[in-house]
Amino acid sequence: MQRLIEGFKKFREGEYPERIPLFQDLATKQEPGTLFVTCSDSRVVPEFITQSEPGDMFVIRNAGNIIPSFGLHHGGVSATVEYAVAVLGVADIVVCGHSDCGAMTAIASGADLSTLPAVSSWLHHADAAKAINDAHSHSCKSSKVAGMVRENVIAQLANLRTHPSVALALSEGRVRLHGWVYDIGEGSIVTYDAASGRFMDLVEYPETDATDLAFAA
């Protein structure tokens, strides 16, 4: 805790005074351009990775960067997606998985989660990705996990499209979808290309997105 407190003191005495106009502007409004959905993993810090400023992104973090399909039992993720799209009017939604993901490793390896009932139930939202990944051949355990991470990003993008606010925004061409996988050790990101069904290097192909033309205007 002391490290966190010292960090806040550094912010308060250094960063804040240098950005007072920004924080005064943000004090009564927010206009984020992007909804960023990623894992709760401590090694994945979306604002740091993208070098974003306060107010740039509306962020959802949970185990496995999961977005449950829209249904009768709405949870925090559904409410946040709806607010970001219908009220804040974000123009882009990023679903970002990452290397060495504990949640995806557990699914890929068939780990016994009987002592973690909440985690086990939550990860069922990745069942579609598991079915597809299990149907593929993998050269090793790490390859299977990497495949699971990518398939999960694609599956969560599909779940995202079931949300009425997102479906409407897609039909009206007001939002674009992006599926990223961040490699922690390499400091790189690959992005899903809906047109080809492949993941591409984000730096080399920055215009690539995961907006399925069948769902767009």
Side-chain angles (χ1 to χ4, degrees):
M1 280 303 302
Q2 191 57 37
R3 183 175 179 180
L4 299 184
I5 294 170
E6 291 300 322
F8 170 70
K9 288 171 61 178
K10 182 179 179 181
F11 161 77
R12 179 65 185 172
E13 297 168 2
E15 294 290 332
Y16 178 77
E18 294 177 2
R19 302 187 183 190
I20 288 179
L22 170 62
F23 289 107
Q24 288 180 335
D25 186 51
L26 292 174
T28 57
K29 66 178 182 180
Q30 62 168 326
E31 299 175 335
T34 302
L35 169 61
F36 200 99
V37 185
T38 193
C39 190
S40 298
D41 194 294
S42 62
R43 300 164 295 177
V44 181
V45 185
E47 294 84 356
F48 183 69
I49 295 168
T50 62
Q51 294 291 283
S52 297
E53 288 287 298
D56 287 348
M57 297 194 299
F58 207 58
V59 179
I60 295 174
R61 300 189 66 166
N62 60 54
N65 42 272
I66 283 171
I67 304 166
S69 296
F70 190 81
L72 295 177
H73 302 289
H74 309 311
V77 174
S78 296
T80 305
V81 167
E82 185 174 78
Y83 188 80
V85 176
V87 178
L88 297 178
V90 296
D92 294 279
I93 303 176
V94 177
V95 177
C96 183
H98 67 94
S99 61
D100 195 45
C101 178
M104 296 305 108
T105 298
I107 294 173
S109 63
D112 180 6
L113 299 177
S114 58
T115 60
L116 300 170
V119 172
S120 179
S121 177
W122 177 250
L123 294 184
H124 279 302
H125 292 296
D127 280 352
K130 180 181 186 302
I132 294 172
N133 195 54
D134 284 351
H136 294 163
S137 59
H138 303 281
S139 59
C140 59
K141 179 181 177 180
S142 61
S143 174
K144 187 174 184 179
V145 171
M148 186 64 212
V149 169
R150 295 190 181 201
E151 291 298 340
N152 182 57
V153 166
I154 297 170
Q156 301 315 316
L157 286 167
N159 287 350
L160 187 61
R161 296 185 186 100
T162 68
H163 291 249
S165 59
V166 176
L168 176 61
L170 283 170
S171 72
E172 295 177 346
R174 293 186 284 107
V175 71
R176 294 194 310 165
L177 306 183
H178 310 268
W180 290 4
V181 174
Y182 167 58
D183 188 298
I184 297 170
E186 297 293 330
S188 62
I189 291 176
V190 290
T191 180
Y192 182 65
D193 176 39
S196 67
R198 297 187 298 121
F199 281 86
M200 323 276 281
D201 184 270
L202 180 62
V203 174
E204 292 184 21
Y205 300 95
E207 298 302 317
T208 299
D209 68 54
T211 306
D212 192 326
L213 296 179
F215 290 87

